[in-house]
C-alpha cells in the first residue's frame, strides 16, 4: 500500500484478535507499531513477535520499530500517557487505530449501571479521548493524520441483550463522521470499518460449536465468517495513500450481513 512505510501507528487493544491482525499487517506494510494492551502483556508480546517476523524475518536487522504500551483506554490519564509515549519514542504519531472494545451480555432492563458505563467508557468515550489526543498532536505538527475506528455491523443492526455495545458502536459512527467533517480541511482523515461475524478468540464459543456456527453462518449471504486478516487488509487500505480521498466513511466487512439476509428469497410483503 502506498504511503505506509515509516509511518508511526498506535493500535489500541492490539494483543489479540482484529487488533493483533492490524498490528501485524501494518508492520508488514513498513509501519512502526505501538501495541497497546490493558492486562495481557503476553498477548502484546506475541503480537510484537509475529509482527516483526512477518515484517522482517530477521528481527535483529528489522527496519520496523515496535513498542508495547500498557494502558486502559477508559482512563484519560492512561490515554494521554500512551500518545505522549508514542511521540517520544517514535518522534511522531501518524495513524491511530481505535480498536479496543468490550461487550457485556445482559437483558437491557437488568444491566447494572456500572457495566453499562464500563462498555461506553471503553468503546466510545475511550475512542473519542484517543482521537482527541491524537488530533492535538496532528495539529501541533501540521501533519496529515489518520484515525480508523473499529466499529461493528451493530452500529446499524440492533443487538438485543447488548444494548450498551450497540449504543457504543452507533455513537462511533457519528464520532467518525463528526471528526472527519471537522478536520477534513486540516488534512486529517477519519474512517471506520464495521466487521461482521469474525473468527477471533472472543468468538471461540460459537466457532468451536458446529450448531452455533451453522446458525451464525446462516445469516451471512456469503455463508462464512470473516477473518481478522481480512479486517486488517481493509484497515491498511484506509490508512494508506490509496484512500487519500476517503473520509467520514464506514466500510462494512460482513459477507453481506447488512444486506438483509432473510430477504434472499423473494416473498410478498
Amino acid at each position: 500500500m502506498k504511503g505506509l512505510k515509516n509511518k508511526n501507528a498506535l493500535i489500541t487493544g492490539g494483543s489479540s484478535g482484529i487488533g493483533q491482525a492490524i498490528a501485524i499487517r501494518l508492520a508488514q506494510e513498513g509501519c512502526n507499531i505501538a501495541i497497546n494492551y490493558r492486562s495481557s502483556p503476553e498477548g502484546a508480546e506475541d503480537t510484537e513477535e509475529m509482527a516483526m517476523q512477518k515484517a522482517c524475518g530477521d528481527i535483529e536487522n528489522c527496519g520496523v520499530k515496535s513498542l508495547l504500551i500498557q494502558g486502559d483506554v477508559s482512563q484519560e490519564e492512561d490515554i494521554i500517557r500512551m500518545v505522549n509515549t508514542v511521540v517520544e519514542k517514535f518522534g511522531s504519531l501518524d495513524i491511530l487505530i481505535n480498536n479496543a472494545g468490550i461487550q457485556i451480555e445482559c437483558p437491557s432492563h437488568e444491566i447494572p449501571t456500572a457495566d453499562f458505563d464500563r462498555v461506553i467508557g471503553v468503546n466510545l468515550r475511550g475512542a473519542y479521548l484517543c482521537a482527541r489526543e491524537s488530533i492535538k498532536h496532528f495539529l501541533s505538527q501540521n501533519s496529515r493524520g489518520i484515525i480508523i475506528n473499529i466499529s461493528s455491523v451493530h452500529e446499524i443492526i440492533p443487538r438485543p441483550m447488548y444494548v450498551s455495545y450497540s449504543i457504543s458502536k452507533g455513537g462511533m459512527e457519528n464520532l467518525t463522521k463528526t471528526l472527519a467533517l471537522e478536520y477534513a480541511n486540516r488534512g486529517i482523515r477519519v474512517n471506520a470499518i464495521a466487521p461482521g461475524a469474525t473468527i477471533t478468540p472472543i468468538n471461540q464459543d460459537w466457532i468451536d460449536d458446529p450448531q452455533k456456527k451453522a446458525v451464525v453462518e446462516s445469516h451471512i449471504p456469503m455463508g462464512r465468517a470473516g477473518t481478522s486478516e481480512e479486517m486488517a487488509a481493509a484497515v491498511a487500505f484506509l490508512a494508506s495513500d490509496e484512500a487519500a480521498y476517503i473520509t467520514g466513511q464506514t466500510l462494512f466487512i460482513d459477507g453481506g450481513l447488512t444486506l438483509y439476509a432473510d430477504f434472499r428469497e423473494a416473498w410478498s410483503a
Side-chain angles (χ1 to χ4, degrees), residues 20 22 25 29 31 55 60 70 77 86-87 96 107 117 125 130 135 139 142 151 155 169 173 178 191 237 248 269:
Q20 182 177 80
I22 292 170
R25 178 58 186 263
E29 296 289 345
C31 287
E60 295 300 320
Q70 190 281 330
E77 60 272 19
V86 174
V87 172
L96 168 68
D117 289 346
R125 181 177 178 271
C130 287
I135 289 169
L139 295 176
N142 195 28
S151 185
E155 73 173 40
K169 296 306 182 180
E173 177 189 21
T178 299
N191 289 294
F237 166 69

Side-chain angles (χ1 to χ4, degrees), residues 86-165:
V86 174
V87 172
E88 178 187 345
K89 298 294 185 181
F90 288 167
S92 68
L93 173 63
D94 304 300
I95 302 167
L96 168 68
I97 310 297
N98 267 323
N99 171 73
I102 59 172
Q103 57 187 14
I104 296 175
E105 180 181 6
C106 186
S108 295
H109 68 288
E110 295 179 356
I111 184 170
T113 302
D115 285 350
F116 180 92
D117 289 346
R118 183 177 167 221
V119 173
I120 298 297
V122 172
N123 296 6
L124 185 56
R125 181 177 178 271
Y128 161 67
L129 291 176
C130 287
R132 185 191 72 184
E133 294 306 307
S134 298
I135 289 169
K136 286 180 182 179
H137 174 71
F138 299 155
L139 295 176
S140 72
Q141 300 296 307
N142 195 28
S143 62
R144 294 179 175 273
I146 294 164
I147 297 172
I148 300 175
N149 297 319
I150 310 305
S151 185
S152 164
V153 292
H154 294 294
E155 73 173 40
I156 62 171
I157 299 176
R159 191 182 186 193
M161 304 287 286
Y162 291 87
V163 66
S164 53
Y165 182 83

